[in-house]
């Protein structure tokens, strides 16, 4: 990955992400928003069957995000993303690339730190929705649980901050700057219309 993201003249035709990348992006968005709702909801509940059920779904969605993130990372390594339009400032291109890299890291680290937290002092498996067993991480002492839980929560708030930054940048490009870069990820449209081509590389 280059330190300065690739940019090309796309005045006439704008290149966008291919359909596989678009689908993985929006499925991940839906899962992350669902996970945030589940996490903050069950955390404030009293212990009992209702809380346990939400926690099971929280673990299930977390495991799904981990698998999907690994698939998404593999897809990204096999499919080059579309270059930015030259009209997008260099600093914004660099910020966008590092924001995406941070997301990849967090979407893998968050489920793993969550699993490590519930693995502390335990062995065997933990149950996901539908009774699916998920192996716990062996050998973690119970004393590590609090620290791992705090790390997990810290990563949650870092993720929220990056989501807000990412959404804010997308809305800025679409409605304030009216930048052509906004058309790289459907359903956003490049201001001013014009043809858009899907990148197949």
């Amino acid at each position: 990955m280059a330190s300065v993201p690739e940019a090309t003249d796309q005045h006439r035709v704008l290149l966008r992400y291919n359909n596989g990348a678009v689908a993985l992006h929006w499925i991940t968005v839906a899962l992350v928003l669902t996970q945030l709702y589940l996490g903050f909801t069950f955390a404030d509940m009293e212990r009992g069957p209702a809380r346990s059920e939400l926690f099971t779904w929280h673990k299930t969605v977390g495991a799904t995000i981990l698998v999907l993130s690994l698939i998404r990372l593999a897809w990204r390594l096999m499919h080059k993303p579309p270059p930015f339009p030259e009209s997008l400032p260099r600093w914004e291109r660099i910020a966008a690339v590092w924001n995406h890299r941070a997301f990849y890291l967090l979407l893998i680290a968050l489920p793993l730190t969550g699993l490590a937290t519930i693995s502390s002092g335990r062995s065997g498996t933990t149950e996901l929705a539908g009774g699916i067993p998920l192996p716990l991480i062996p050998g973690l002492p119970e004393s590590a649980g609090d620290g791992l839980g705090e790390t997990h929560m810290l990563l949650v708030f870092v993720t929220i901050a990056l989501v807000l930054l990412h959404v804010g940048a997308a809305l800025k490009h679409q409605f304030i700057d009216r930048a052509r870069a906004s058309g790289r990820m459907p359903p956003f449209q490049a201001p001013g219309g014009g043809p858009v081509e899907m990148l197949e590389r």
Side-chain angles (χ1 to χ4, degrees):
M1 297 182 182
S3 57
V4 180
E6 179 185 359
T8 62
D9 182 5
Q10 298 180 45
H11 179 69
R12 295 184 178 180
V13 177
L14 177 68
L15 295 175
R16 74 165 179 86
Y17 284 97
N18 58 46
N19 289 339
V22 172
L24 288 169
H25 174 271
W26 290 112
I27 292 171
T28 301
V29 169
L31 287 172
V32 168
L33 293 178
T34 300
Q35 187 70 324
L36 289 172
Y37 168 78
L38 290 171
F40 283 109
T41 300
F42 91 79
D44 292 332
M45 295 174 65
E46 294 183 0
R47 292 185 178 275
R51 186 181 189 276
S52 295
E53 182 177 1
L54 277 185
F55 184 47
T56 297
W57 278 107
H58 184 68
K59 292 185 293 182
T60 304
V61 174
T64 304
I65 288 174
L66 176 59
V67 172
L68 187 66
S69 297
L70 294 174
I71 293 172
R72 189 177 176 187
L73 179 59
W75 184 276
R76 166 65 180 82
L77 293 174
M78 292 186 295
H79 298 81
K80 188 176 182 179
F84 293 97
E86 286 183 335
S87 57
L88 191 68
R90 178 177 179 272
W91 74 267
E92 290 195 41
R93 285 182 269 139
I94 294 172
V97 167
W98 281 102
N99 184 269
H100 279 89
R101 290 176 182 176
F103 269 130
Y104 281 115
L105 177 62
L106 286 166
L107 293 177
I108 293 172
L110 268 168
L112 290 178
T113 55
L115 179 61
T117 301
I118 62 175
S119 298
S120 301
R122 301 174 58 195
S123 59
T125 62
T126 186
E127 188 173 289
L128 303 181
I132 300 172
L134 176 68
L136 295 171
I137 300 173
L140 293 176
E142 186 175 357
S143 58
D146 289 342
L148 288 168
E150 290 174 0
T151 300
H152 184 68
M153 282 304 303
L154 175 62
L155 294 180
V156 168
F157 286 110
V158 172
T159 301
I160 292 172
L162 285 180
V163 167
L164 293 175
L165 178 64
H166 188 67
V167 171
L171 295 177
K172 176 178 178 288
H173 289 155
Q174 182 74 56
F175 299 110
I176 298 177
D177 298 339
R178 298 188 61 77
R180 286 184 59 76
S182 58
R184 297 169 76 235
M185 177 58 70
F188 289 98
Q189 300 293 321
V196 177
E197 292 185 359
M198 180 174 64
L199 187 70
E200 294 290 357
R201 324 184 244 173

